[in-house]
Amino acid sequence: MTDALPGPAFNIHDIPFSSHGSWFDISPVTSEHVRARDLHLVSHQTGMHPVLRLVPVGGARGERVETQWQATPGRLTWAGQGGHVELTYQSPDTLRLRGCGLGLRIRASAERLTPFSGTYFLHDPLDGSYVFTSYETGRRYRISVLTGRAVDVLGVESLGGADRGLTLTGTGGGEGDGSADGDGSWEAAVEELDSARPPYTPSVTHEQAAARADRAFTEFADAVAPWRTPDTPAAELAAYVVWSATVAPAGFLKRPAVLMSKHWMDKVWSWDHCFNALALAPGTPELAWDQFRIMFDHQDESGALPDSVTHSEVLYNFVKPPIHGWALRHLRRRLPHPLSSGQLTDVYHRLARWTGFWLDSRRAPGQTLPHYQHGNDSGWDNATTFDPGRLRTTADLSAFLVLQLRELADLATELDRAEEAAAWAHSADTLQSAVIDELWTGERFEARSPRTGAGATSLSLLDLMPVVLGEHLPSDIAARLAAHVETHLTAHGLATERPDSPHYQSDGYWRGPIWAPATVLIEDGLRRAGHHRLADAISARFRALCETSGFAENFDALTGEGLRDRAYTWTASSYLLLAEAHTHRGGR
């Protein structure tokens, strides 16, 4: 082992160990909110599936040994009394393992094999490797012993209930770690593969593979966060969360994709992807453009984007809010080179169709303003805005569409489509006037039923989201919205339900906790509306929150505790966006 490992150390209870492009990770998190005693190889092909359990063992009888898990971007170590085991990625589908003084027991996580589920285990006569085949992932996991030996081999070709697996150990001693004779050193490779490939032959040493993994992450971090300083202490870890959650094209994902997490939130949703695209844009523009485009690959005939896409599933039962015009405007400013004419034309047509979906399919006859059919469509699933009824005409939706219409007008102008540009600009003006005339109460925006017209206000931050209009808002409305936003600001950030609300819940999803996307959208709108002091405070508190509590899906607004999935990429990307902007403001 090396004494000084590059990259940030992290808690593998919260952040899985993985590599850019890989569809599996190493983690104790085996399903939603479930943490096992041992680390597992967890695949995200066809869903989240723990495939192999990894148990450090020692002594003459190969008994389980208590160890400490130590993780940096390139290396994962089990460190225990008498020895250690180290794991690194040689490539996105291949692990290298080595141990000294300790062995490693590898067992199928599934306890039972049926004709349609579980894991089959065999000893391959072709090359002497050991192979697990998983019904759940539809993939094979091949173990090749490079030095040392495999002992305690159980369940080969067994059916039904059986303990299936082997123990990797050194050549000395008995059935355990080999420490009774020799140093107990061993090495092995673990591959995730489809049907077959040539016998494994190491092309590099374990140390070379680990060093290459370290370099790959460092190069990524240097690209996406070259501005990082001691004043942005979580930047490298944020870069690791995004880097390690990226998967290679496979299944329904035809481009490299940054999953929201390699825990159970292992999908791409149709607004989450925008924040990852923005964070990646200056340093990895091709990957950023893939993130923006990835949901448009599945745009349907109505122009709608899917709710989510992952390896083996595309869902259309809900949509997500149309923040894509807002995102595209920022993305184009952040990319190091302008989009080509072909790219502009393509994104123009796709954005026009996405806008048309809302104006054609989500406006009731005779109404100017579109509506959501459920809180899930807004991205704020259970916000109190939707308590009076799930179908709601809300001001945030129209605000996003106004920005999208204005971006379409600019794109049309660049593409020499003057008449279309004028039409988009007129639609934007009409929609903005309507949302103010119909939903602004003089104090805040209300939401209405598109069927009855009955309106209601709430203490949800969602009602204040039209501040995203920024410079387009009348100054008096922007000032009132800013004042209300400030009442949501706790010591840690923006509570999505005002803390004095009777409906506030500390872990209530969108009924209280702090969320990254709301933070970034509101901070940007306030700044563009000239409310820099409040925007600075929101940015500073959210950055401090991430630096203290990591990159959770959301956070307790009063304590700052990370909640739900603890390795969420849009949170990491939002930190990178705010930290970069803060650094540049300080530099100026």
Side-chain angles (χ1 to χ4, degrees), residues 40 78 83 89 137 159 169 202 205 210 225 269 283 286 291 301 326 404 427 430 454 458 473 477 556 563 570:
H40 286 66
W78 292 258
Y89 276 82
T137 71
L159 304 178
T169 184
T205 67
W269 277 266
E286 291 184 5
Q291 299 325 295
E301 291 183 1
W326 169 87
Q404 195 149 292
S427 293
T430 301
S458 75
L473 276 173
I477 294 179
D556 187 307
L563 303 172
W570 76 357

Side-chain angles (χ1 to χ4, degrees), residues 321-335:
I323 68 166
H324 301 80
W326 169 87
L328 182 60
R329 175 155 298 200
H330 284 295
L331 183 62
R332 292 208 289 153
R333 290 171 178 166
R334 291 176 58 77
L335 289 170

Side-chain angles (χ1 to χ4, degrees), residues 253-522:
L253 292 169
K254 304 303 183 184
R255 305 166 184 268
V258 181
L259 303 178
M260 286 309 101
S261 174
K262 279 184 181 169
H263 283 157
W264 60 88
M265 300 295 281
D266 55 355
K267 297 183 180 184
V268 183
W269 277 266
S270 281
W271 67 318
D272 312 42
H273 68 112
C274 292
F275 299 91
N276 289 331
L278 291 174
L280 292 168
T284 55
E286 291 184 5
L287 182 60
W289 187 239
D290 278 333
Q291 299 325 295
F292 184 78
R293 283 291 312 279
I294 200 163
M295 304 308 286
F296 288 94
D297 290 341
H298 298 276
Q299 193 168 24
D300 72 9
E301 291 183 1
S302 74
L305 301 182
D307 183 40
S308 64
V309 180
T310 191
H311 180 273
S312 302
E313 175 186 88
V314 183
L315 299 181
Y316 290 93
N317 53 322
F318 293 108
V319 290
K320 285 293 175 278
I323 68 166
H324 301 80
W326 169 87
L328 182 60
R329 175 155 298 200
H330 284 295
L331 183 62
R332 292 208 289 153
R333 290 171 178 166
R334 291 176 58 77
L335 289 170
H337 303 291
L339 297 177
S340 68
S341 176
Q343 288 174 316
L344 282 176
T345 300
D346 182 70
V347 77
Y348 172 71
H349 288 302
R350 292 181 180 276
L351 198 64
R353 292 178 58 216
W354 176 220
T355 306
F357 163 79
W358 289 100
L359 300 181
D360 297 337
S361 301
R362 291 295 178 88
R363 285 200 292 194
Q367 296 185 12
T368 304
L369 302 180
H371 60 269
Y372 293 126
Q373 292 182 344
H374 188 280
N376 288 1
D377 287 342
S378 75
W380 295 52
D381 308 3
N382 65 334
T384 53
T385 299
F386 298 95
D387 282 358
R390 304 297 166 237
L391 271 73
R392 304 300 283 169
T393 300
T394 64
D396 69 296
L397 172 55
S398 290
F400 292 139
L401 284 171
V402 167
L403 294 178
Q404 195 149 292
L405 287 161
R406 297 197 188 283
E407 180 65 7
L408 283 166
D410 286 350
L411 288 170
T413 299
E414 292 181 48
L415 293 170
D416 294 324
R417 299 168 181 255
E419 291 186 7
E420 293 176 26
W424 292 122
H426 176 72
S427 293
D429 291 340
T430 301
L431 192 60
Q432 181 164 327
S433 296
V435 75
I436 293 173
D437 291 344
E438 297 182 28
L439 299 183
W440 179 247
T441 67
E443 184 63 25
R444 62 194 300 130
F445 285 99
E446 68 177 8
R448 292 183 178 176
S449 166
R451 290 182 296 186
T452 68
T457 59
S458 75
L459 294 179
S460 172
L461 188 63
L462 182 60
D463 289 6
L464 310 178
M465 285 301 295
V467 77
V468 75
L469 285 168
E471 70 276 18
H472 303 294
L473 276 173
S475 59
D476 58 329
I477 294 179
R480 292 307 304 147
L481 290 175
H484 285 303
V485 166
E486 196 157 11
T487 67
H488 287 255
L489 186 58
T490 73
H492 304 287
L494 289 173
T496 45
E497 181 77 8
R498 209 169 74 188
D500 63 347
S501 164
H503 304 295
Y504 176 87
Q505 297 175 23
S506 59
D507 187 10
Y509 224 49
W510 292 92
R511 300 172 82 93
I514 295 164
W515 286 80
T519 300
V520 170
L521 287 161
I522 286 179

